[in-house]
Amino acid sequence: MGKVKMKTNRSAAKRFKVTGKGKVLHFKAGKSHLLRKKTRKRKRHLKKPTILSPANLSAVKRLIPYKF
C-alpha cells in the first residue's frame, strides 16, 4: 500500500488563511446579528482578521495540512 493522503477539511480551509510567514488568520465571531447593542468601535474591530492563538494552531494544522 502507498502513502495515504490526508483530506483537507473544507470548512476549515474557508475559515482560515495562512500568511506568507506561516501565521494563521481568522475572523472574529459576533458580527452577524444583534448588532444594535454593540458600539461602532466594537463592530469595526470585529471586521479585522486576527492571528490564531498558539493553543489552537496544532488543531488547525491537522485540518488544513497542505496550506503550510
Side-chain angles (χ1 to χ4, degrees):
M1 274 186 123
K3 189 175 180 183
V4 179
K5 285 186 178 179
M6 288 179 68
K7 281 192 174 183
T8 298
N9 182 298
R10 297 310 297 160
S11 62
K14 292 166 190 173
R15 286 173 170 84
F16 300 103
K17 298 288 177 234
V18 181
T19 64
K21 291 191 175 186
K23 294 177 183 176
V24 181
L25 296 177
H26 72 98
F27 284 92
K28 296 174 190 166
K31 187 71 174 70
S32 59
H33 67 117
L34 301 175
L35 297 173
R36 193 177 295 176
K37 63 176 88 169
K38 295 170 187 163
T39 63
R40 262 191 220 131
K41 181 180 177 180
R42 186 169 159 195
K43 289 183 277 192
R44 188 170 61 244
H45 283 87
L46 286 171
K47 281 183 196 176
K48 297 181 194 172
T50 50
I51 297 167
L52 190 74
S53 162
N56 299 320
L57 192 58
S58 61
V60 172
K61 278 187 176 181
R62 276 197 302 276
L63 294 172
I64 48 173
Y66 301 108
K67 288 213 175 193
F68 290 93

